[in-house]
Amino acid sequence: MEKRRRDEERWEGTTKDKQFHEDGSSFQGRHEYKADYANVQETFSKGPIEANGVKYEGDLVNNVPTGHGTLTWRDGSTYTGEVLRGIRHGLGTYQCAKEGVSYTGQWHHGKRHGKGTVFYNKDRTSWYKGDWVMNRIEGWGQRRYPSGNMYTGEWRNNLKHGEGRMIWIMLGQEYAGNWQNGVQNGYGTQTWLVNAKEGAEDVRDNQYEGDFLEGRRQGKGTFYYAGGAIYTGEWRNDKKHGKGKLTTKMERVFECEFDDDVMIACLDENGAPPAFGGFPLLDYDPSIPVSDMDVNIDCILKKIPNRDSKTESELVRVVLLEKRTELKHIYRFYARLGRSSPPDDFVLMSCLQFWGFLKDCNIHHHGFTLKQIDSFIREEEGLAETCSPFTTMQLWKFLKWLVLVSYYIYGKDLLSKKHRLSDCISKMLMDDVLPNAMNVKGLLFRQPELTVEALKYANRCWEIFEKFCRIYSAPGANKSMTCRQLLRMFKDLRLYDHQLTTTKLIELISAENPDCSSQFQHFEFEVVFLEFFEVLLGCAELKSQQGSDTPGQCQDQNTSKSPNEEKSPGKEEDSTNKYSLGEMRSDELKIEEVKKLQLTENFKEQDDLKTNGTGAKEHQVQSRILTVQEFPNSCFLPAMDN
């Protein structure tokens, strides 16, 4: 908690006719001076006077500091301005010697009162200008925070309260409207600023206009998407919840109903469900089923003899409908991973995110590798080549792939015991998906700040992965990469050194693949691109542990050491301003970030004066971002180029 500065003055001694009388002490905050006011006639004179190390130079009335003068305390702090009976009163400037705090403005009986400006640090990058009431910020004023964020508007009791406008510089966000006790409350407009590309025209911002409750969108409101779509309806806890109207950029209108940001009903202008399922913001695609729960599983049903295909398909649909809310939440969660965009945009899940989802659910712990599962899906879908990690899928396809995977890992056991296909998907949902989904593992998606940075290198690494798959694969065979070939690639690129050895590399590959236990399995273990990419990230962490004496070093076992490269401190940046995987955008902060922002940016002088843990955390994140950058920039990509 902030320890507030108290500038209270008091007299300890006797008085007569409301005047100081006899010996006593006058206190001013933690500073005091003593004087004898007994039997003093009203006289005017000039200082200086000094008592207990406190000096006063200026006007005296009856030997009492009154008029204009300067007080200097033993620690070097000073006040210069108007004084009334030893108390700061009128216009004046207080300068704290140790902490760099200064206040210039009006005083009333020793307290900041009226108009005034306070600077909270020596660099004067953190300040407040505006109204004060008895040492409290109250009225109208402007506050600049050390981060550069700015608030202009009304205050009460040191908190944003009333009409005001806040700009978050690093986050690229702006809010204008009502505040209550430091948070958005009432009616307001929040804007997520979209960085325009050079030469781009008609660039729009994501914007919400409507009701807020305790810092979150709640009540009635309208969201204007940067892509041109508009949603007007009910909100709860920052999410669309209840009934609303959705207008696409092509001006098609849908009456929708949402449950915790998940669309559960949708009718077009003719009162009919949209032909393209639960994604009315997307362009029409005739290949999409009428309902995103109606998945075509004919390819699997053909593998099950003596079964009623219609019944099997209907039972699978029933299982998916029962868990539709959870499945939609899971889909949207993984579709957002690695994206620094407003989450209310209708984004699609990529194959890279799907592989991450399978890993998080431990699907590859059933005796099958991710590559084997991926190959089975590709075969059933009639795809000749391995899917690009950036290929996206609609919700209905995600559900279809779940059914395919459930059949692949459970079908042999369950169907042989006269169970139905619906039992396979039900078992996988209950045993694997629902208990484990959204508990993010792995080096790529575990930390959002690093994910955005790492994905900047994903396209280039995918090209390299494809190239070596072609080099190492036999003519006519499916292009893939085994652990043996990955080890060979690192040797060909001369990436090994005393720290990064073949043993370490095998440990990185098999870290989350417990079924690969023998040396032979390690070597013949096939990897998907996600596993390949996370091996590179693991190498980056390994390299960063070599020590500060050899930063950025990358060498071959048979070559001399490269010259040391000194890391330059990284500039502060906010991952929410970066874009990846299709440059999707998002319209809201995480709740934890919003709470932290609101707590740290309320008027707290002590937090402005002392270094807190936030700076250390930002430094740690920045250090890890530099680690992610170092290996590809200094080792892996230069090795490929050479």
Side-chain angles (χ1 to χ4, degrees):
M1 293 292 293
E2 174 182 301
K3 185 177 180 182
R4 300 184 181 279
R5 183 183 308 281
R6 299 183 180 274
D7 294 314
E8 299 178 351
E9 292 74 20
R10 64 186 185 275
W11 166 260
E12 292 186 1
T14 60
T15 60
K16 182 177 181 181
D17 297 330
K18 297 183 180 180
Q19 302 294 322
F20 300 126
H21 186 72
E22 304 294 347
D23 289 338
S25 298
S26 177
F27 293 83
Q28 195 157 0
R30 291 169 296 176
H31 305 121
E32 65 175 277
Y33 55 87
K34 294 183 177 180
D36 182 1
Y37 292 98
N39 304 315
V40 176
Q41 301 297 320
E42 183 170 305
T43 60
F44 298 90
S45 59
K46 292 283 186 181
I49 61 174
E50 181 175 352
N52 293 340
V54 180
K55 298 179 182 179
Y56 173 78
E57 295 185 8
D59 300 332
L60 299 171
V61 176
N62 292 342
N63 206 33
V64 177
T66 299
H68 189 278
T70 298
L71 287 167
T72 304
W73 286 268
R74 281 179 288 186
D75 65 356
S77 300
T78 62
Y79 169 80
T80 301
E82 295 177 302
V83 180
L84 176 64
R85 296 177 181 175
I87 299 174
R88 291 168 287 189
H89 188 86
L91 291 174
T93 297
Y94 172 78
Q95 180 72 51
C96 179
K98 294 182 179 180
E99 297 171 336
V101 176
S102 66
Y103 171 81
T104 300
Q106 295 175 310
W107 299 77
H108 181 75
H109 293 296
K111 297 183 178 181
R112 290 163 289 193
H113 187 85
K115 299 286 185 182
T117 299
V118 60
F119 291 97
Y120 296 105
N121 55 16
K122 294 180 180 180
D123 297 334
R124 296 197 166 193
T125 57
S126 177
W127 47 263
Y128 168 80
K129 298 179 181 179
D131 297 331
W132 297 79
V133 175
M134 303 305 288
N135 264 358
R136 297 189 306 272
I137 294 180
E138 195 152 323
W140 187 94
Q142 189 173 44
R143 174 77 164 95
R144 187 190 190 278
Y145 297 92
S147 60
N149 299 338
M150 184 82 71
Y151 172 80
T152 303
E154 294 178 299
W155 297 79
R156 189 175 73 180
N157 197 26
N158 295 332
L159 298 174
K160 297 182 279 286
H161 191 93
E163 292 284 338
R165 177 172 174 261
M166 180 78 186
I167 298 176
W168 292 273
I169 300 296
M170 299 297 291
L171 300 177
Q173 296 193 28
E174 177 181 318
Y175 172 81
N178 291 311
W179 297 77
Q180 186 174 2
N181 296 327
V183 297
Q184 303 100 311
N185 201 89
Y187 192 86
T189 300
Q190 186 155 359
T191 305
W192 290 260
L193 305 176
V194 178
N195 293 330
K197 296 182 179 179
E198 292 185 7
E201 298 181 359
D202 192 27
V203 177
R204 304 176 183 178
D205 299 322
N206 290 305
Q207 186 177 84
Y208 170 83
E209 183 176 345
D211 297 330
F212 286 81
L213 180 64
E214 296 180 354
R216 297 175 181 174
R217 299 188 292 280
Q218 184 149 325
K220 300 284 187 180
T222 299
F223 197 96
Y224 300 90
Y225 292 90
I230 302 172
Y231 170 78
T232 300
E234 298 172 327
W235 296 77
R236 188 181 72 178
N237 197 27
D238 268 344
K239 298 178 180 179
K240 295 183 290 293
H241 187 85
K243 295 182 179 181
K245 183 173 68 174
L246 193 59
T247 305
T248 71
K249 62 181 179 181
M250 303 303 293
E251 298 186 352
R252 293 196 63 192
V253 180
F254 297 87
E255 296 293 334
C256 303
E257 185 174 355
F258 287 85
D259 181 7
D260 205 23
D261 227 19
V262 176
M263 187 182 298
I264 59 176
C266 183
L267 299 176
D268 63 16
E269 54 266 35
N270 298 319
F276 40 88
F279 290 87
L281 290 187
L282 301 176
D283 293 333
Y284 174 70
D285 184 348
S287 67
I288 298 176
V290 173
S291 168
D292 51 21
M293 294 295 155
D294 290 335
V295 297
N296 187 340
I297 55 174
D298 290 344
C299 58
I300 306 176
L301 296 176
K302 292 177 182 178
K303 297 177 178 293
I304 309 175
N306 304 320
R307 294 293 179 95
D308 184 349
S309 298
K310 185 176 180 180
T311 301
E312 291 284 349
S313 181
E314 182 61 26
L315 290 174
V316 168
R317 182 175 183 274
V318 169
V319 173
L320 296 178
L321 283 172
E322 287 177 349
K323 302 299 180 184
R324 63 180 179 181
T325 300
E326 294 90 339
L327 291 171
K328 287 183 177 182
H329 272 300
I330 291 169
Y331 175 87
R332 289 172 64 83
F333 176 85
Y334 281 93
R336 297 171 183 175
L337 287 182
R339 305 181 191 274
S340 54
S341 51
D344 265 311
D345 263 349
F346 281 69
V347 294
L348 300 179
M349 179 187 287
S350 68
C351 287
L352 189 67
Q353 294 161 333
F354 180 73
W355 292 330
F357 158 77
L358 294 180
K359 285 188 68 176
D360 292 345
C361 296
N362 299 324
I363 300 298
H364 60 316
H365 289 190
H366 290 280
F368 303 99
T369 66
L370 288 180
K371 178 60 180 177
Q372 289 172 325
I373 296 171
D374 181 71
S375 297
F376 174 75
I377 293 174
R378 189 180 71 248
E379 179 183 348
E380 296 302 320
E381 292 283 62
L383 303 174
E385 298 290 340
T386 300
C387 294
S388 163
F390 314 114
T391 301
T392 58
M393 66 187 78
Q394 300 271 14
L395 175 61
W396 66 269
K397 179 165 284 190
F398 167 71
L399 298 176
K400 178 182 179 180
W401 285 16
L402 285 186
V403 178
L404 286 171
V405 173
S406 71
Y407 170 77
Y408 187 67
I409 65 176
Y410 290 119
K412 184 177 180 180
D413 292 335
L414 292 181
L415 296 177
S416 63
K417 299 175 183 178
K418 305 302 181 181
H419 288 278
R420 295 185 178 275
L421 179 60
S422 58
D423 295 324
C424 297
I425 182 62
S426 181
K427 181 174 178 58
M428 190 177 79
L429 291 178
M430 299 306 297
D431 293 354
D432 303 303
V433 175
L434 298 182
N436 299 303
M438 298 187 289
N439 181 21
V440 180
K441 306 169 188 174
L443 295 176
L444 178 56
F445 293 119
R446 190 167 52 204
Q447 296 184 342
E449 303 92 344
L450 303 183
T451 302
V452 173
E453 188 65 30
L455 286 175
K456 295 177 183 178
Y457 302 94
N459 281 293
R460 181 76 174 102
C461 291
W462 168 244
E463 294 173 0
I464 295 171
F465 180 78
E466 279 196 304
K467 179 176 181 178
F468 276 91
C469 284
R470 288 193 297 268
I471 292 174
Y472 295 144
S473 299
N478 289 327
K479 298 178 178 62
S480 62
M481 181 179 290
T482 65
C483 177
R484 184 192 304 275
Q485 292 163 345
L486 181 56
L487 295 173
R488 177 183 170 185
M489 185 192 78
F490 269 65
K491 180 180 179 181
D492 292 343
L493 296 179
R494 298 184 176 182
L495 295 175
Y496 292 121
D497 59 18
H498 68 281
Q499 187 78 4
L500 179 56
T501 63
T502 55
T503 302
K504 287 290 185 181
L505 196 57
I506 292 174
E507 289 177 0
L508 290 174
I509 297 170
S510 59
E512 297 182 36
N513 294 280
D515 294 323
C516 299
S517 54
S518 70
Q519 186 78 350
F520 174 80
Q521 284 177 315
H522 280 317
F523 286 158
E524 301 309 319
F525 173 78
E526 288 187 314
V527 298
V528 296
F529 175 72
L530 173 64
E531 294 167 312
F532 170 81
F533 196 50
E534 288 191 333
V535 165
L536 298 183
L537 295 177
C539 292
E541 285 197 354
L542 194 64
K543 287 289 185 180
S544 69
Q545 297 170 4
Q546 286 185 333
S548 58
D549 56 331
T550 57
Q553 194 176 86
C554 187
Q555 65 183 69
D556 179 62
Q557 293 172 331
N558 301 320
T559 59
S560 59
K561 294 183 179 179
S562 58
N564 289 345
E565 297 178 5
E566 191 149 315
K567 293 182 181 178
S568 59
K571 297 182 179 179
E572 289 187 1
E573 62 180 65
D574 184 20
S575 63
T576 56
N577 290 330
K578 301 286 183 291
Y579 300 96
S580 61
L581 293 180
E583 297 188 353
M584 296 293 188
R585 293 168 169 78
S586 162
D587 69 337
E588 65 181 355
L589 285 173
K590 292 182 179 176
I591 294 175
E592 291 81 2
E593 295 175 341
V594 175
K595 289 181 178 178
K596 184 184 294 184
L597 191 61
Q598 292 168 349
L599 288 173
T600 56
E601 294 195 338
N602 284 338
F603 175 78
K604 295 180 179 181
E605 296 177 14
Q606 191 69 17
D607 288 343
D608 285 312
L609 302 174
K610 296 183 179 180
T611 303
N612 53 31
T614 303
K617 183 177 180 181
E618 291 178 354
H619 177 76
Q620 184 180 18
V621 171
Q622 190 64 35
S623 177
R624 299 204 67 182
I625 288 176
L626 290 175
T627 297
V628 172
Q629 297 171 340
E630 188 72 25
F631 181 72
N633 288 338
S634 300
C635 299
F636 186 64
L637 297 181
M640 278 298 303
D641 294 336
N642 293 331

